[in-house]
Amino acid sequence: MKYKLIIIITAIIIISGITFVIYKNNNKPFYLNEKYYNQNDFIEVSTKDVNKLIENKSSFVIYVYNNFCNFKIPCESIFKEFIGTNKVGILKMKFEDFKNTDLYNEVKLAPTVIIIKDGKIIDYLESDSDEDTNRYQDIKSFEKWIKKYIILKK
């Protein structure tokens, strides 16, 4: 009985350690694919482009937009200012087209900005979330959120 308890406790410690290492490594800021640095504008993409980037395990940021904006300040102007200041390209896509991407399985609302690392969603803004509202309306708040995940070059 004592040995079973020791084995269980040891297994729990090992699993906890592995989980911690995986979690810690996934939360480190990372570089986007090189082609997205030194950009000054949005990069319009198609459904096919996005699905190919995911398939190729690319790292990028994508802005998905609607034809209307419910925010006081149009969020696109906040994101465009971020691009100009930080010289980092953000992909841009209409929500109607976005629905045909593999990302739509997880992200169902727009406008949104989605951070992708190695073809996987790391985080995204939710337009119906009180926590994210300021990130849509304030360049510093948006930049702080992005820098949590992305290493920017200047």
Side-chain angles (χ1 to χ4, degrees):
M1 184 71 172
K2 248 184 183 179
Y3 295 111
K4 283 184 182 180
L5 184 60
I6 291 172
I7 291 171
I8 291 171
I9 291 172
T10 304
I12 290 171
I13 291 170
I14 290 171
I15 291 170
S16 297
I18 291 170
T19 303
F20 174 76
V21 168
I22 290 170
Y23 179 77
K24 184 177 176 188
N25 288 336
N26 283 339
N27 285 330
K28 284 184 181 177
F30 61 93
Y31 286 99
L32 300 173
N33 289 44
E34 189 61 36
K35 66 184 175 182
Y36 301 117
Y37 292 100
N38 295 314
Q39 297 285 328
N40 274 335
D41 209 348
F42 288 110
I43 303 162
E44 285 281 344
V45 290
S46 69
T47 300
K48 185 178 177 182
D49 296 332
V50 172
N51 285 335
K52 184 117 178 125
L53 288 168
I54 293 166
E55 182 182 312
N56 292 337
K57 300 189 182 317
S58 297
S59 297
F60 58 95
V61 178
I62 185 168
Y63 164 53
V64 180
Y65 64 96
N66 291 317
N67 292 331
F68 58 89
C69 180
N70 290 330
F71 292 106
K72 184 176 179 180
I73 302 168
C75 57
E76 186 165 320
S77 64
I78 299 295
F79 307 149
K80 191 166 179 93
E81 182 180 344
F82 170 81
I83 291 168
T85 302
N86 293 283
K87 306 290 186 251
V88 62
I90 294 178
L91 305 182
K92 181 179 176 182
M93 170 180 261
K94 291 180 186 175
F95 186 65
E96 302 94 55
D97 297 332
F98 176 74
K99 288 179 180 180
N100 297 315
T101 69
D102 296 335
L103 300 174
Y104 185 68
N105 295 330
E106 187 171 337
V107 181
K108 302 286 188 186
L109 296 174
T112 187
V113 174
I114 307 168
I115 299 173
I116 310 290
K117 178 183 179 188
D118 301 327
K120 304 277 187 217
I121 295 174
I122 299 300
D123 198 6
Y124 60 94
L125 295 180
E126 296 180 63
S127 55
D128 63 346
S129 163
D130 290 340
E131 181 182 350
D132 285 344
T133 298
N134 204 36
R135 294 172 182 149
Y136 284 98
Q137 296 292 277
D138 177 66
I139 183 71
K140 291 191 186 307
S141 182
F142 178 71
E143 186 173 77
K144 182 179 178 183
W145 175 73
I146 287 276
K147 285 182 174 179
K148 182 177 168 184
Y149 304 102
I150 304 296
I151 299 170
L152 302 174
K153 299 178 183 180
K154 286 199 179 184

